[in-house]
Amino acid sequence: MTPYRNRLSLVFSLVFLIGVWIPGPAWAACLGAVAQNPLYWPALPPAQEKAKPQLAGLSLAQAQPAPRGGEVLLRFVGHATFWIQTPGGATAATDYNDYMRPPAVPDIATMNHAHSTHFTDAPDPAIKHVLRGWPYMGKPARHNLSYKDMRVRNVPTNIRRWGANDTEYDGNSIFIFEAADICIVHLGHLHHTLTPGHLADIGQSDVVLVPVDGGYTLNQVQMRDVILQLKPSLVVPMHYFSESTLERFLSLLRESHEITLSQESSIMLRRETLPKKPTVVVLPGPH
């Protein structure tokens, strides 16, 4: 090999090593096994969105604590809606709908369409990215969005079709929010346990936001099995309608998890302070 080719080979080797060893984005550790294509579901231009209805819903205008370096703010707004804010100022609202709106207009809104408390046809036109979790033109929703220091992607799952004894394939999306080396998994309106393919696509699960009503979504025993499949450090229940329903779910996890009842609707998440023993944290809010 000529000296020139030797030098060229050395350069390519160095470039490869740099690409391998230089740390990637904060969400790199969260990636699942399958790379998702950018969204099939197109964002509608503001002129095509329906007029925003006048709501007499929940008001949560009080000031938000600001995340510091390495922290992600997670706030329970109510039902299945959470507010997520990154150290870099990116914000997201889950299951964005007409009944429980977050404290401010988010940069990113994710939605599921099982019924009206999980989506809206009239998202605020100021939202930069509206990610719908159900099929469009016969194709499953596929989202892979990077905005500031947040990444949002989805894994489609099936749901029972309301009023009919059949299945709506890919009718729900599990959304994964990745920032500050924290992987937050919102299970949406999950109706079945997860296959090995789902688990591979989801990847690392640090915090799981789980519907625990036991009827409209998956039954509580199987939902516990999903948590055992995902193995998160932190479980946050949602979508449970009553304290007695919540207590039945907590009783299933008392032997395997610590149970904490928070006095605040917000928690700060940091990689270094995630609990060593799996923990369930109940955040107060309308359910």
Side-chain angles (χ1 to χ4, degrees), residues 114-234:
H115 42 244
S116 59
T117 51
H118 298 266
F119 80 101
T120 176
D121 285 327
D124 192 310
I127 299 171
K128 296 179 178 65
H129 302 281
V130 177
L131 308 184
R132 297 164 174 86
W134 58 94
Y136 179 73
M137 296 184 66
K139 293 183 178 181
R142 290 290 189 184
H143 300 292
N144 187 354
L145 171 71
S146 297
Y147 178 78
K148 293 185 177 178
D149 58 338
M150 179 185 287
R151 183 178 188 180
V152 184
R153 54 191 178 87
N154 77 305
V155 175
T157 64
N158 303 328
I159 58 174
R160 299 182 301 275
R161 198 181 301 275
W162 296 106
N165 188 26
D166 65 354
T167 298
E168 183 174 352
Y169 293 98
D170 303 311
N172 175 68
S173 278
I174 296 171
F175 280 97
I176 301 103
F177 302 82
E178 309 171 9
D181 201 24
I182 298 286
C183 311
I184 302 171
V185 178
H186 187 289
L187 293 179
H189 217 270
L190 186 65
H191 287 189
H192 57 75
T193 54
L194 302 178
T195 66
H198 291 131
L199 296 172
D201 286 353
I202 292 168
Q204 179 174 309
S205 303
D206 297 314
V207 181
V208 171
L209 314 178
V210 55
V212 301
D213 60 274
Y216 293 101
T217 60
L218 190 60
N219 72 65
Q220 290 186 336
V221 172
Q222 289 180 309
M223 199 65 82
R224 176 201 59 190
D225 294 343
V226 168
I227 291 170
L228 297 178
Q229 286 180 301
L230 292 170
K231 301 180 175 64
S233 297
L234 203 61

Side-chain angles (χ1 to χ4, degrees), residues 242-261:
S242 71
E243 299 300 328
S244 59
T245 301
L246 172 64
E247 179 54 37
R248 286 196 298 273
F249 176 75
L250 295 179
S251 68
L252 294 172
L253 291 178
R254 290 192 189 279
E255 291 187 6
S256 57
H257 288 67
E258 297 285 349
I259 308 294
T260 301
L261 305 180

Side-chain angles (χ1 to χ4, degrees), residues 17-178:
L17 289 172
I18 289 170
V20 169
W21 290 106
I22 288 179
W27 54 71
C30 303
L31 289 178
V34 178
Q36 308 281 0
N37 292 324
L39 49 89
Y40 290 150
W41 240 117
L44 295 178
Q48 291 182 244
E49 299 285 12
K50 294 181 181 178
K52 182 179 176 181
Q54 297 298 312
L55 304 174
L58 185 68
S59 175
L60 287 174
Q62 57 262 44
Q64 296 291 294
R68 297 169 293 182
E71 289 182 332
V72 176
L73 168 68
L74 177 69
R75 177 174 182 169
F76 183 44
V77 176
H79 195 54
T81 301
F82 290 81
W83 175 266
I84 302 170
Q85 185 173 343
T86 71
T91 58
T94 69
D95 279 30
Y96 186 90
N97 63 81
D98 289 330
Y99 301 95
M100 290 188 180
R101 290 285 171 92
V105 176
D107 298 314
I108 303 165
T110 63
M111 297 192 296
N112 280 292
H113 82 309
H115 42 244
S116 59
T117 51
H118 298 266
F119 80 101
T120 176
D121 285 327
D124 192 310
I127 299 171
K128 296 179 178 65
H129 302 281
V130 177
L131 308 184
R132 297 164 174 86
W134 58 94
Y136 179 73
M137 296 184 66
K139 293 183 178 181
R142 290 290 189 184
H143 300 292
N144 187 354
L145 171 71
S146 297
Y147 178 78
K148 293 185 177 178
D149 58 338
M150 179 185 287
R151 183 178 188 180
V152 184
R153 54 191 178 87
N154 77 305
V155 175
T157 64
N158 303 328
I159 58 174
R160 299 182 301 275
R161 198 181 301 275
W162 296 106
N165 188 26
D166 65 354
T167 298
E168 183 174 352
Y169 293 98
D170 303 311
N172 175 68
S173 278
I174 296 171
F175 280 97
I176 301 103
F177 302 82
E178 309 171 9

